[in-house]
Amino acid sequence: MLSYLAAALPENTSAAARLLALQCALRMNTHMRVRLSKGVMRSLRLNAASGPWHELEHARWLRTTPGGAANEIAAELLDLTLLGQAPARPDRRRAADWALRASSSSAVRAIGPLPRLASVYLAASTDPESGTGLGDLEQMARACGTRTAELLGTLDQLVAAGMLGSWQACPDSGDLQWTSSERRWNGPQPRSRHNSPEA
């Protein structure tokens, strides 16, 4: 979904708007409508921010709709490509909850939207067994809506915050390698008999 958003949103879309778009895309229903509770917005640290909504409206990616309950914000997503991007709704819901947790740990919340978005990207691309990852630096910068130089500083912030163990970029190939500092990087997991409420 992060790759889709990198292609669908304008290059200058902020990290806060991208975090919001990710939650909208993963939580939308089959009619391309979404309702985000104020609790989700607080977890995103966007509860008082109208800027990300306006950015996504200006990009013609969504349109806010009236008639939501007092404790939620409603929108209609406008990019029909989304219908082909999303897995089954229960999987999307679990992915949305996972992305919310990956972007809202106390260490990352304190340092802003770009580190939170980078944290989600890294978590989604980290091998859960080894806690390591390999990716393309420019691709990550595009997905996060930033320049490569700014992304390098963000990676340093994640190391300083204890969210990332280490990272290195190869200037020749553009490869980015990293190790997580925790075992929390396990992306959204399918339900198993051991962790389902029915077991």
Side-chain angles (χ1 to χ4, degrees):
M1 191 61 71
L2 291 168
S3 297
Y4 154 74
L5 291 172
L9 296 175
E11 191 176 298
N12 62 346
T13 304
S14 72
R18 288 172 189 276
L19 282 168
L20 176 60
L22 178 62
Q23 287 297 316
C24 288
L26 291 172
R27 294 178 187 274
M28 73 174 192
N29 65 21
T30 56
H31 301 289
M32 296 186 65
R33 287 181 167 54
V34 65
R35 293 178 183 276
L36 294 183
S37 72
K38 298 284 174 120
V40 168
M41 297 303 292
R42 270 192 306 277
S43 293
L44 289 171
R45 308 291 273 193
L46 300 175
N47 53 318
S50 60
W53 290 101
H54 292 310
E55 276 187 74
L56 296 175
E57 283 184 309
H58 184 73
R60 295 192 170 105
W61 191 79
L62 64 66
R63 171 178 45 236
T64 55
T65 56
N71 64 344
E72 66 185 15
I73 300 172
E76 178 184 4
L77 307 187
L78 303 175
D79 186 356
L80 293 176
T81 311
L82 269 170
L83 293 173
Q85 293 292 321
R89 186 156 169 79
D91 292 339
R92 284 196 342 250
R93 282 281 204 194
R94 279 193 293 279
D97 291 341
W98 173 85
L100 193 59
R101 285 190 306 276
S103 68
S104 63
S105 77
S106 57
V108 169
R109 269 197 322 232
I111 53 180
L114 180 56
R116 292 197 317 267
L117 183 58
S119 179
V120 170
Y121 183 95
L122 292 170
S125 305
T126 297
D127 179 286
E129 297 296 318
S130 66
T132 62
L134 174 66
D136 182 88
L137 187 61
E138 286 185 24
Q139 182 179 346
M140 182 180 177
R142 269 193 310 279
C144 292
T146 190
R147 297 177 325 277
T148 304
E150 187 176 5
L151 180 60
L152 298 177
T154 299
L155 294 170
D156 285 337
Q157 282 184 303
L158 291 173
V159 170
M163 300 302 299
L164 190 60
S166 64
W167 67 272
Q168 69 179 44
C170 178
D172 296 330
S173 67
D175 286 346
L176 174 65
Q177 298 176 329
W178 65 90
T179 57
S180 68
S181 60
E182 306 174 8
R183 285 276 181 206
R184 68 171 198 83
W185 298 97
N186 298 351
Q189 302 296 311
R191 285 187 173 236
S192 72
R193 187 135 169 76
H194 302 304
N195 63 9
S196 70
E198 295 81 28

